[in-house]
Structures are given as structure tokens and as C-alpha cells.
Amino acid sequence: MSKRLLGLLVPLVLTVGATAACDTASAGASGKLDVVAAFYPLQYVTEQVGGDRVKVSNLVKPGAEPHDLELSPKQVAEIADADLAVYLHGFQPAVDEAVADHAKDKSLDAATVQALHDGFVPLEEGELHEDEKGKDPHVWLDPTRLAGIADAVAKKLGEADADHADEFTANAKALRTKLDALDGEFKSGLANCKQKTIVVSHNAFGYLADRYGLTQLAITGLTPEDEPSAGRLAEVSRFAKQNKVSVVFFETLVSDKVAKTLADEVGAKAEVLDPIEGIEAGSKDDYVSVMRSNLTTLRGALGCS
Ligand SMILES: [Zn+2]
């Protein structure tokens, strides 16, 4: 080998060596993968699938509403530095932007795993804004769809940490078994109900309704901050009276004022139906336990036998 060629090869070898060392280091001093999850259900699946091999941080503080998340420069850096960012395109624009700018090659978009439905439009379309007819991001409220996302997380984690790929696959499989059981409980629990329409505060339950043969009528659109118009409120109120709706649902992370006012007006109770966009601080609940209490609430409200 000529000296010249050797001269070319040496830096190359050094570079490869440096990259490999860097990869090992990226698994963290603890040997765990650093994963950033954009909001709670994605944190839940990543923790279930990654087990002890990952350290998952959620970009949304416990008890905060995730739709309108704004990122601090520190959080953007966290996304850039992570081994993997798990997000859902179209749900949190600030996260979409940070991932596109800093983590394109090490990210998983849950929206590409589950083809999103074209906007689930509530019963009467007239009052909806044009921009609400986009894609509904609330896929996690169908447990079988969340299982699909878990499989994709397992694949991505396996690429980042090949030594434990089998473990991630097995964890995703175990989670699917759990989510299939939950799906079965919902199917049988909501099979025989007097009411089929749920009146909810924001348009989050399209996938749940779709899976279990319900219809949702939402006071506001796909994001909870939307102010309902007077016309929209009148429409929902009229529907609720005509159909003797006994419960209007509200959420834990957003204001319950509109839902409670409406419930009063139509002589209904107001109860919590949780879209699981976050878990309240200090709560011992997780995705499955909140879904179970949602099922109990729905069965009572809809008169299911
Ligand atoms: Zn939502």
C-alpha cells in the first residue's frame, strides 16, 4: 500500500472509530436510550415497549393540556439530543417544527403508523370552521390503534439498540395483548346501550366512537381552545333535549364551564370523559386504568346493559 493511500485511509478509520464511540455514548451513561415523547399516550407506549432500556421524557408537564404546547429552547435542545423523538404530526405544531428542524432522522411520527381519518365531523356540519375538517389526531382512543403504534416504537427502538430488539418486540406484543383485552371490554360493554350519541366538550372521541358504534357530538372542534359559537351551542342543546341526553361530558385538563352550562340548560348531568391527552400530576392512573373508568362512565351515561 502506498504511503499516500495509507494517508487517506487513516483519517477515515479514525472517523469511523469516533462515530462508533459516539453511538455508544448516545445510549447514555446509564446505557439507556433517551427518548422524548410528545405527550402522554406516546410516553405510555414508549415506556411499556422500552422497559428498563429507555429513559422517556414527556414534553408536556403533568396536568397540562398538550394541544397548544409551546417549546422552550431547552426542550428543543432535548429533542435534538435525544436518541428518538416520538410524536404525532398535526397534533402539536411546535413539536412538528422542532422535529423537522433537529431530529428528522431519529423520529417516529405516530400519524404515519395509523392513517388518520379525515375529520370526524359531528352530526351537524354547518357550524364547523373549515380548518376543523382536517385530520383527527386522537388515534390513541382506539386501543387497537395504539397497539399498532407500539409495534412501530418497538421497531424504532430496535434500530437504535439492536442488542435488545427482541426484548422491545416482546414488550410490544405483551402490550398488544393488554390492549386487545381492553378492546374486548369496550366491545362487550357498549354492545347494548339505550343511547348511542355522546355529547362531549371537544371533538376528541372520533376513533373511540368509530370503533364501538357510537356517534360523538362535540361542543367545540378538534382542539379544546376553540370557542364554540352561539349557533353551535344552540344546535348541541337542541339535539341533547330532543334525544333526552342524560349526560354531557367534560374533561379534566380543560375548562368545564361550557359543558356544565349546557348540562344545566338541558337538564343533564355533567361527567368526566377523559381523552387521555395527559395524566394529572400525582395520579397513579395510566392509559389502561383511565380507559376502564371511561368505559364505566360511558356505560352508565348511555344506559348500557
Ligand atoms: Zn384533543
Side-chain angles (χ1 to χ4, degrees), residues 65 67 91 138 140 202 204 222-224 275 277:
E65 199 289 312
H67 276 274
F91 186 57
H138 303 90
W140 59 91
H202 97 280
L222 286 168
T223 53
E277 295 186 341

mmCIF file of all heavy atoms in Angstrom, residues 65 67 91 138 140 202 204 222-224 275 277, ligand 1:
data_model
loop_
_atom_site.group_PDB
_atom_site.id
_atom_site.type_symbol
_atom_site.label_atom_id
_atom_site.label_comp_id
_atom_site.label_asym_id
_atom_site.label_seq_id
_atom_site.Cartn_x
_atom_site.Cartn_y
_atom_site.Cartn_z
ATOM 1 N N GLU A 65 -52.438 20.757 29.241
ATOM 2 C CA GLU A 65 -53.172 20.369 28.043
ATOM 3 C C GLU A 65 -52.181 20.410 26.880
ATOM 4 O O GLU A 65 -51.479 21.402 26.723
ATOM 5 C CB GLU A 65 -54.332 21.368 27.888
ATOM 6 C CG GLU A 65 -55.469 20.928 26.997
ATOM 7 C CD GLU A 65 -55.078 20.910 25.550
ATOM 8 O OE1 GLU A 65 -54.493 21.897 25.076
ATOM 9 O OE2 GLU A 65 -55.328 19.896 24.907
ATOM 10 N N HIS A 67 -52.398 20.207 23.388
ATOM 11 C CA HIS A 67 -52.638 20.740 22.041
ATOM 12 C C HIS A 67 -51.825 21.997 21.747
ATOM 13 O O HIS A 67 -51.282 22.161 20.667
ATOM 14 C CB HIS A 67 -54.116 21.105 21.863
ATOM 15 C CG HIS A 67 -54.987 19.959 21.488
ATOM 16 N ND1 HIS A 67 -55.173 19.561 20.199
ATOM 17 C CD2 HIS A 67 -55.745 19.127 22.241
ATOM 18 C CE1 HIS A 67 -56.012 18.540 20.164
ATOM 19 N NE2 HIS A 67 -56.373 18.251 21.398
ATOM 20 N N PHE A 91 -50.670 17.270 15.604
ATOM 21 C CA PHE A 91 -51.284 17.445 16.925
ATOM 22 C C PHE A 91 -50.689 18.645 17.655
ATOM 23 O O PHE A 91 -51.402 19.429 18.266
ATOM 24 C CB PHE A 91 -51.097 16.156 17.734
ATOM 25 C CG PHE A 91 -51.812 16.151 19.067
ATOM 26 C CD1 PHE A 91 -53.181 16.346 19.130
ATOM 27 C CD2 PHE A 91 -51.118 15.941 20.248
ATOM 28 C CE1 PHE A 91 -53.853 16.345 20.347
ATOM 29 C CE2 PHE A 91 -51.773 15.932 21.474
ATOM 30 C CZ PHE A 91 -53.145 16.142 21.522
ATOM 31 N N HIS A 138 -56.627 12.154 17.268
ATOM 32 C CA HIS A 138 -56.824 11.449 18.542
ATOM 33 C C HIS A 138 -56.870 9.922 18.406
ATOM 34 O O HIS A 138 -57.751 9.253 18.967
ATOM 35 C CB HIS A 138 -58.108 11.943 19.211
ATOM 36 C CG HIS A 138 -58.131 13.422 19.445
ATOM 37 N ND1 HIS A 138 -58.615 14.330 18.528
ATOM 38 C CD2 HIS A 138 -57.703 14.149 20.502
ATOM 39 C CE1 HIS A 138 -58.508 15.560 19.012
ATOM 40 N NE2 HIS A 138 -57.944 15.493 20.199
ATOM 41 N N TRP A 140 -55.186 7.496 19.682
ATOM 42 C CA TRP A 140 -54.895 6.627 20.830
ATOM 43 C C TRP A 140 -56.161 6.195 21.567
ATOM 44 O O TRP A 140 -56.107 5.281 22.381
ATOM 45 C CB TRP A 140 -53.937 7.328 21.799
ATOM 46 C CG TRP A 140 -54.473 8.640 22.327
ATOM 47 C CD1 TRP A 140 -55.214 8.818 23.458
ATOM 48 C CD2 TRP A 140 -54.333 9.938 21.725
ATOM 49 N NE1 TRP A 140 -55.540 10.151 23.601
ATOM 50 C CE2 TRP A 140 -55.016 10.867 22.556
ATOM 51 C CE3 TRP A 140 -53.691 10.402 20.578
ATOM 52 C CZ2 TRP A 140 -55.082 12.222 22.256
ATOM 53 C CZ3 TRP A 140 -53.759 11.763 20.293
ATOM 54 C CH2 TRP A 140 -54.442 12.655 21.126
ATOM 55 N N HIS A 202 -64.795 18.525 23.539
ATOM 56 C CA HIS A 202 -64.065 18.749 22.277
ATOM 57 C C HIS A 202 -64.008 17.459 21.470
ATOM 58 O O HIS A 202 -64.188 16.376 21.972
ATOM 59 C CB HIS A 202 -62.727 19.466 22.481
ATOM 60 C CG HIS A 202 -61.490 18.621 22.561
ATOM 61 N ND1 HIS A 202 -61.098 17.954 23.690
ATOM 62 C CD2 HIS A 202 -60.539 18.372 21.636
ATOM 63 C CE1 HIS A 202 -59.952 17.337 23.455
ATOM 64 N NE2 HIS A 202 -59.591 17.561 22.229
ATOM 65 N N ALA A 204 -62.729 14.886 20.393
ATOM 66 C CA ALA A 204 -61.577 14.006 20.585
ATOM 67 C C ALA A 204 -61.915 12.523 20.448
ATOM 68 O O ALA A 204 -61.025 11.693 20.385
ATOM 69 C CB ALA A 204 -60.967 14.253 21.968
ATOM 70 N N LEU A 222 -61.645 20.173 16.958
ATOM 71 C CA LEU A 222 -60.586 19.208 17.224
ATOM 72 C C LEU A 222 -59.599 19.697 18.271
ATOM 73 O O LEU A 222 -58.845 18.913 18.827
ATOM 74 C CB LEU A 222 -59.847 18.866 15.928
ATOM 75 C CG LEU A 222 -60.611 17.947 14.954
ATOM 76 C CD1 LEU A 222 -59.916 17.916 13.597
ATOM 77 C CD2 LEU A 222 -60.742 16.531 15.496
ATOM 78 N N THR A 223 -59.552 20.984 18.546
ATOM 79 C CA THR A 223 -58.735 21.476 19.651
ATOM 80 C C THR A 223 -59.632 22.123 20.697
ATOM 81 O O THR A 223 -60.583 22.827 20.358
ATOM 82 C CB THR A 223 -57.668 22.503 19.189
ATOM 83 O OG1 THR A 223 -58.333 23.525 18.455
ATOM 84 C CG2 THR A 223 -56.641 21.868 18.311
ATOM 85 N N PRO A 224 -59.343 21.868 21.980
ATOM 86 C CA PRO A 224 -60.260 22.294 23.037
ATOM 87 C C PRO A 224 -60.340 23.793 23.237
ATOM 88 O O PRO A 224 -61.290 24.284 23.834
ATOM 89 C CB PRO A 224 -59.708 21.616 24.295
ATOM 90 C CG PRO A 224 -58.334 21.181 23.965
ATOM 91 C CD PRO A 224 -58.230 21.071 22.490
ATOM 92 N N PRO A 275 -60.105 12.298 27.502
ATOM 93 C CA PRO A 275 -59.479 11.978 26.210
ATOM 94 C C PRO A 275 -58.013 11.530 26.344
ATOM 95 O O PRO A 275 -57.348 11.276 25.351
ATOM 96 C CB PRO A 275 -59.581 13.287 25.432
ATOM 97 C CG PRO A 275 -59.650 14.356 26.458
ATOM 98 C CD PRO A 275 -60.262 13.751 27.703
ATOM 99 N N GLU A 277 -55.248 12.976 27.079
ATOM 100 C CA GLU A 277 -54.210 13.778 26.429
ATOM 101 C C GLU A 277 -53.092 14.052 27.417
ATOM 102 O O GLU A 277 -52.004 14.492 27.053
ATOM 103 C CB GLU A 277 -54.831 15.070 25.888
ATOM 104 C CG GLU A 277 -55.837 14.733 24.792
ATOM 105 C CD GLU A 277 -56.426 15.916 24.081
ATOM 106 O OE1 GLU A 277 -56.372 17.033 24.603
ATOM 107 O OE2 GLU A 277 -56.955 15.710 22.979
HETATM 108 ZN ZN ZN B 1 -57.712 16.833 21.700
#
